[in-house]
Amino acid sequence: MRGALPLLLPALALLPLLLDAKSILPKKIKSASSDKLYHLHQDFPQQLCGAIVHEMYIELTDHAFHEVSGEDDIFETAGLAVCLGIMQNYTMMPDDNNKHYLQKAPEDMDEQDKEGYLLHDIEGTLVLKKLCEIMTEDTQFMVSEAMFKRSLTETPDQIAADFCPSLVRPKKKDKAFKPKTLTEGDDMVMKGNMRVPRNQEAFDKIMGEKDQGGVLQDMMEVELHHPERLMPEEAQEVLLQAKEGCRCQVCKQAVQEAFKQVQELRKLPKFKDRWQRDALVGDIVTKLCHGHREYERVQRGYYPSVPGNPPAWDKEIGIKRVKRDDKNAEKYPSGFRLYRYKGDVDAGAIGKAADAMEMDPQTYGVFKTALVTHVCRSVIDERQADEDLAEMIMDALDDKPSKVFREYCSAECKTDTKVRKGHWHEEL
C-alpha cells in the first residue's frame, strides 16, 4: 500500500478541482413546450459525452474527413451532424427515482421499430437535442481538436474514457477556434440556383443521409415552426378556441403596431421621397407578423432562431380570460381579452398572467405567441392580395389608427361576433 501512495497523490490533488468544477449540463431541464421537468442522472453528462465521441468518430470515419477535409470542416460539419446522430440513436429513459439516463437503441432493431422506440417521448427527444447542443456548443473546440488528433489512432471508448471527465466538468471557458488546417475552396457553394454557406450545404447533405425517413426533419419542423403543437392537449384546445374569437383584437393590435413603426419612419429623411416611402411602408406590412430580422432567411427555408419566428411586438401583448358575467364580456369573443403591457415586461408580470390563465409560464408564453402570430398572419398576410393595408396606412398618415381599424378590421370583428354567440351558448 505504501508503494501505491505516490500513484494516488496526483489523483488526490486533482480531486478538489473536479469537485469544485461545475458540470457543463444542468441537473434538471424543462421542456420548451410544457412544464415537464427532466431530472438528469448524475452519470448523464458522462454518458452524453461518450455518445458524442462515438457519433463523431463514425462521421469522421464514414466521410473520410482526414483525407478530404481540413480541421475546420471537422469543427463545423461534425458539430452540426453529431446531435442528429444522438437524436437518431439514443433516447432518455427514467430510472426508479425518475432520474433520466441515456440509452442507446438496440442495434438489431429494424428502422420502423427503431423510430417508434426513439419517438416514444417526442418532448424528451427534443430535450435531448437541446442538451446535446449545450454540450457541443460550449466545448466545440475541445471536441473537434481531440477527435482530429486521436480518432486515427484510438478507439471511441479509449477517447471517451480519457477525454470526457474533463469535458463534462470544464475548469475554464472554451477558447476561440483557430483551425490549423483549412479546406480549400469558397465558403459559399451553389445549391440549385442559390449560393448557400458551405456548412449549411454539408448540414443538408448529412441530414439527408441520416434521416432518410424524414422523422428528425419532421420533429425539427414542429419544434422550430410550430412549437404550440408540443403544448399539453388542453392548452392546444384552448388555443384553437381563442384563435377563432380573437381575430378582431389581433387585427387592431397589428394595425396599431404598423402605425407605430410608420411614425418612427417618418422621422427619417428618406421618408420624404415618395418612392422610398411606399417601399418602406410596404416592407413594414410584409414583415408585420414575423420576426423582421430573420424574415428573408426563413423565407429561403432556413430554421428561425426563435421558434415560429414571431413578431417582436408580441412580447408587449398579454392575454387574460373574461368571465361570462364580466360587464365587458360582450366585447371579447371566446372569453379572452388581449392587452398591452405598460412599461417593462418582467418575469413577475408574466407569471401573474400565466397564473390567471391557469398555465405555467412556459406554456403561457408559447400559447400567447402562437395566438398572436397565427391570427396576425391570417388577418394581415392572407388578405394582402385583395386589400392593401400599406396603402390604407399611407392614406391615413395624419389620422388616428382607429380610422384604419374601422376600415380594415371590420370584417374580422363581424366574424368574432358570430363566434362569441356560439361560445357563450356552449358554455351555458
Side-chain angles (χ1 to χ4, degrees):
M1 183 67 185
R2 185 176 299 173
L5 186 59
L7 299 176
L8 289 173
L9 287 177
L12 292 173
L14 285 173
L15 186 59
L17 294 176
L18 292 174
L19 291 175
D20 291 341
K22 184 179 180 181
S23 174
I24 194 170
L25 296 180
K27 293 182 179 179
K28 56 187 177 182
I29 186 170
K30 183 178 286 188
S31 165
S33 57
S34 73
D35 59 345
K36 186 173 182 179
L37 202 60
Y38 288 77
H39 293 267
L40 304 181
H41 191 279
Q42 62 179 2
D43 294 335
F44 185 90
Q46 181 80 18
Q47 293 171 344
L48 181 57
C49 176
I52 287 171
V53 168
H54 275 261
E55 291 301 315
M56 286 192 70
Y57 187 92
I58 292 170
E59 288 298 323
L60 300 188
T61 304
D62 288 354
H63 295 278
F65 273 87
H66 287 87
E67 298 174 17
V68 299
S69 303
E71 191 178 355
D72 61 327
D73 266 6
I74 291 178
F75 176 79
E76 294 175 352
T77 309
L80 290 168
V82 67
C83 290
L84 297 179
I86 296 295
M87 291 172 69
Q88 193 175 40
N89 295 302
Y90 297 83
T91 187
M92 295 174 68
M93 288 289 189
D95 63 13
D96 294 339
N97 297 316
N98 203 31
K99 298 288 183 71
H100 286 77
Y101 60 93
L102 196 64
Q103 181 165 305
K104 196 174 190 306
E107 298 286 351
D108 57 353
M109 272 188 173
D110 61 39
E111 286 302 313
Q112 189 171 359
D113 289 342
K114 187 176 180 182
E115 287 180 3
Y117 173 81
L118 294 172
L119 299 181
H120 74 284
D121 178 11
I122 293 179
E123 271 190 291
T125 303
L126 294 175
V127 167
L128 175 57
K129 171 176 169 284
K130 179 63 177 175
L131 290 166
C132 179
E133 289 171 348
I134 292 172
M135 183 170 283
T136 55
E137 180 181 2
D138 288 352
T139 63
Q140 204 164 359
F141 170 75
M142 293 172 61
V143 174
S144 61
E145 183 179 47
M147 296 304 295
F148 184 76
K149 291 179 178 178
R150 303 172 66 166
S151 59
L152 289 176
T153 59
E154 299 178 55
T155 67
D157 288 335
Q158 289 173 330
I159 298 172
D162 179 62
F163 174 67
C164 286
S166 60
L167 181 137
V168 300
R169 289 187 176 275
K171 296 188 288 293
K172 59 181 179 179
K173 193 173 181 65
D174 207 356
K175 59 183 178 180
F177 176 71
K178 293 183 180 179
K180 297 175 183 177
T181 60
L182 300 174
T183 302
E184 294 183 3
D186 195 351
D187 285 338
M188 303 292 287
V189 296
M190 292 302 297
K191 183 177 181 182
N193 58 357
M194 289 178 57
R195 281 171 60 80
V196 299
R198 178 157 50 86
N199 60 353
Q200 176 69 28
E201 170 72 4
F203 174 80
D204 292 341
K205 180 182 177 182
I206 293 171
M207 174 68 90
E209 292 173 355
K210 298 182 76 66
D211 187 34
Q212 294 181 4
V215 175
L216 299 182
Q217 186 77 28
D218 289 345
M219 289 177 60
M220 293 173 72
E221 286 283 337
V222 169
E223 179 191 25
L224 294 172
H225 288 301
H226 305 286
E228 70 282 354
R229 295 180 186 173
L230 296 174
M231 294 191 304
E233 288 187 12
E234 319 85 75
Q236 292 187 48
E237 292 173 2
V238 175
L239 176 62
L240 287 174
Q241 184 189 66
K243 284 164 66 175
E244 288 292 324
C246 290
R247 295 174 66 87
C248 177
Q249 295 183 72
V250 173
C251 183
K252 289 182 177 180
Q253 293 288 352
V255 171
Q256 180 180 334
E257 179 63 27
F259 260 87
K260 178 182 174 182
Q261 293 184 27
V262 170
Q263 294 306 322
E264 289 297 315
L265 269 182
R266 295 184 74 177
K267 300 174 184 178
L268 303 178
K270 60 183 177 181
F271 195 81
K272 295 178 181 179
D273 185 329
R274 172 74 187 188
W275 298 106
Q276 289 193 68
R277 186 190 315 160
D278 289 347
L280 290 168
V281 175
D283 189 63
I284 285 176
V285 172
T286 297
K287 300 175 182 177
L288 185 60
C289 305
H290 308 262
H292 71 278
R293 294 184 184 277
E294 292 196 314
Y295 179 80
E296 283 80 12
R297 287 188 79 255
V298 174
Q299 293 301 306
R300 294 200 302 269
Y302 289 86
Y303 288 126
S305 58
V306 178
N309 195 36
W313 55 271
D314 103 280
K315 295 177 182 177
E316 302 173 16
I317 305 295
I319 183 171
K320 66 183 296 185
R321 290 183 184 272
V322 178
K323 296 180 180 180
R324 188 179 184 282
D325 56 359
D326 190 296
K327 63 180 181 180
N328 294 317
E330 285 296 307
K331 295 181 180 179
Y332 303 109
S334 40
F336 299 98
R337 179 171 76 85
L338 269 62
Y339 59 90
R340 288 222 173 207
Y341 287 103
K342 296 178 180 178
D344 296 334
V345 184
D346 57 20
I350 294 174
K352 185 176 179 181
D355 288 343
M357 286 290 292
E358 299 179 353
M359 297 178 181
D360 65 274
Q362 185 72 37
T363 301
Y364 170 79
V366 175
F367 174 93
K368 188 261 299 182
T369 295
L371 174 65
V372 172
T373 303
H374 292 182
V375 176
C376 183
R377 292 173 186 175
S378 177
V379 301
I380 303 296
D381 293 2
E382 294 177 12
R383 290 176 55 186
Q384 290 314 293
D386 302 316
E387 300 174 74
D388 194 341
L389 177 59
E391 185 176 339
M392 292 183 187
I393 292 174
M394 289 289 293
D395 292 340
L397 282 176
D398 296 318
D399 295 314
K400 294 182 178 180
S402 56
K403 180 179 179 180
V404 180
F405 289 170
R406 290 191 295 270
E407 184 178 356
Y408 186 82
C409 298
S410 60
E412 308 298 347
C413 297
K414 288 178 181 177
T415 301
D416 278 359
T417 300
K418 295 177 181 178
V419 173
R420 177 182 64 233
K421 291 178 180 177
H423 166 66
W424 295 133
H425 177 74
E426 289 174 7
E427 189 178 273
L428 288 171

